[in-house]
Amino acid sequence: MPVQLVQHIEALDWGGETVRIGDLDGDGAPDLLVAQSVYGSRVIESLTALTVAGQRLWQWGRPSAANGQCYSDLPVQVYDWDGDGANEVLFVEQAVYAEPIEYGELRIRERAKRYEGDAWMVVLEAASGREKSRFPIPAPADDSFLFADLTGRGRRQDLVVKDRYWNMWGVAFAGEVLWHWAGSVGHYPAIADVDGDGCDEVFVGCALLDHDGREVFSRDPGGSHQDAAHLAQLPDGEWRLLFGNGGLHCLDLDGREVWRQPLREVQHVVAGRYRPDSPLQVAVIDRGHPRTPEGKPATLHLYDLEDGRQYWQRLQPPGGWVAAALDIRWTGKPDLKEILVYERVAGQPMAIYDGWGEMLDTLEVPPEICGVYHGNPGIHIAYRADVWGDSREEVLVAGWKGLRICTNRRPLAIPTLYNNTLYHGM
């Protein structure tokens, strides 16, 4: 088999679907941070730091097998926050939901009518898990966050943090709230310095915000929210803003729609170079069953970024409503990537496609590490990172009972070594 399982880490009570990858112990090699949360919220209950060999470095909080499944993205990151050359772990400690708004049998909690106190951004020393500092942030700001340069520091040492669907804040390094934006924020923003002023702009929901929070443009989300956002720059310097909101939309920096694909429910918009006959392409998952009335399975599509023409589409196994896609450097080609599709359906392996739509490899997902989401079994989350340092990326599969790392065992193609001699340096 060209795919090799190189690591299986069994979890007892600390396993989780949310994993962050970064150097925690300071040896320069990547480590793993596993987060657990109360299902239906973003309350982080425990953090477990591990090497990729499975050695536990430290643990924060109280792990429990009941908290291994995540409802949404969790507000936790690994980063050298203070610029001292060593990473920190940052996570949000929620404010008190004095009057929570809950729905469903699982009592899903996404916001509150009234909060008590502030939320806190907690900063831990990555090597030990010891708390280094903390600072208050607005009480509802307990969903996703990412690092950005909003103040022209020359380094991404500020924060963009959001609540679940309604608000976003820009926060400076010292904890000062720089701005607040209210609107349909969607799941996760994208950032880049698209105007060349040395600060990051924020593409959030269906709007583009300047670094100071000023709205450059905003489009009507049409009763839906943004499921995926991506910023990509063409070779001529032009930027394209991609988002999934029902269909797939491609905008310019003025908010004008360059092209659109009328898909049903676009998830995971991933721009990259998957084939050499155009500068950039866009891989997307159109989620299917059971969200579509026809019961259509999820479908992987590849489009050209410049004009939106479709290269191909590949139907996924029926029942894979939560199917998702990632770009991955699986073969190690210097200028091309591949596409990883995971969570296809219970019992079905993950799949890696090349830019021509050919399935290169499949990766088995053992049911014993998987969970259940809204009655859908086999739930797992996949990540990719070059954890071995061979210029190819490995696939990390996380479930509530363990972690697996799989690699491409094919020999890596390198240039032919010729004019060899015993007399090197002559």
Side-chain angles (χ1 to χ4, degrees), residues 51-383:
T51 68
V52 293
Q55 176 189 356
R56 188 180 301 181
L57 300 172
W58 52 264
Q59 200 163 58
W60 176 94
R62 294 183 178 179
S64 168
N67 294 328
Q69 293 178 252
C70 59
Y71 169 74
S72 63
D73 190 38
L74 296 181
V76 56
Q77 300 286 355
V78 177
Y79 184 58
D80 182 6
W81 171 241
D82 55 16
D84 66 351
N87 281 333
E88 283 77 40
V89 171
L90 287 83
F91 71 95
V92 175
E93 183 180 284
Q94 290 188 312
V96 175
Y97 278 44
E99 296 181 37
I101 299 172
E102 298 177 340
Y103 63 91
E105 294 181 3
L106 298 175
R107 301 177 67 183
I108 302 300
R109 189 182 72 176
E110 295 186 331
R111 67 193 306 191
K113 293 180 181 178
R114 183 174 63 86
Y115 299 87
E116 290 180 355
D118 297 309
W120 290 85
M121 185 64 69
V122 182
V123 184
L124 304 181
E125 185 180 74
S128 66
R130 177 184 60 85
E131 184 171 322
K132 293 181 69 174
S133 63
R134 61 171 55 208
F135 54 88
I137 57 177
D142 58 21
D143 196 79
S144 302
F145 72 89
L146 73 166
F147 304 105
D149 187 355
L150 304 177
T151 55
R153 301 172 65 92
R155 185 174 183 271
R156 287 179 170 167
Q157 213 165 354
D158 306 309
L159 293 168
V160 174
V161 60
K162 60 186 278 291
D163 64 6
R164 186 72 179 131
Y165 287 124
W166 306 276
N167 299 275
M168 174 165 283
W169 295 264
V171 181
F173 174 76
E176 173 194 359
V177 176
L178 301 171
W179 47 261
H180 165 242
W181 183 80
S184 178
V185 297
H187 283 305
Y188 201 78
I191 62 166
D193 180 11
V194 299
D195 60 8
D197 65 352
C199 298
D200 287 322
E201 280 67 52
V202 183
F203 183 37
V204 51
C206 305
L208 179 64
L209 308 182
D210 207 345
H211 65 275
D212 57 5
R214 179 183 60 86
E215 195 174 273
V216 178
F217 71 79
S218 180
R219 293 173 61 92
D220 183 358
S224 183
H225 61 250
Q226 170 259 98
D227 281 314
H230 201 101
L231 291 168
Q233 191 173 26
L234 291 165
D236 63 4
E238 289 292 319
W239 285 89
R240 293 292 180 262
L241 287 65
L242 299 152
F243 69 97
N245 171 253
L248 171 63
H249 307 262
C250 179
L251 312 178
D252 64 16
L253 288 182
D254 295 320
R256 291 187 293 262
E257 192 162 81
V258 179
W259 54 263
R260 176 179 180 272
Q261 288 289 347
L263 304 176
R264 179 76 186 204
E265 186 181 359
V266 168
Q267 299 278 327
H268 300 268
V269 178
V270 187
R273 195 160 193 254
Y274 307 106
R275 48 191 295 152
D277 51 357
S278 73
L280 287 170
Q281 300 89 40
V282 186
V284 302
I285 288 284
D286 185 9
R287 295 211 305 197
H289 174 81
R291 287 291 184 95
T292 58
E294 313 92 321
K296 178 183 174 183
T299 306
L300 173 67
H301 300 261
L302 188 71
Y303 300 101
D304 187 79
L305 174 60
E306 196 159 13
D307 58 16
R309 71 182 184 276
Q310 178 172 275
Y311 289 104
W312 46 261
Q313 65 182 48
R314 295 293 181 267
L315 209 62
Q316 301 302 301
W321 168 62
V322 289
L326 280 172
D327 61 329
I328 183 170
R329 196 173 296 281
W330 181 247
T331 61
K333 294 176 182 176
D335 57 348
L336 293 179
K337 292 186 176 183
E338 291 76 38
I339 306 161
L340 169 67
V341 182
Y342 63 98
E343 290 186 342
R344 298 167 78 212
V345 68
Q348 288 284 342
M350 298 182 288
I352 296 178
Y353 295 86
D354 66 15
W356 290 265
E358 297 297 323
M359 189 184 293
L360 299 179
D361 286 312
T362 57
L363 295 82
E364 298 295 330
V365 182
E368 60 266 21
I369 74 167
C370 300
V372 177
Y373 177 74
H374 285 200
N376 294 278
I379 298 303
H380 57 277
I381 307 295
Y383 305 86

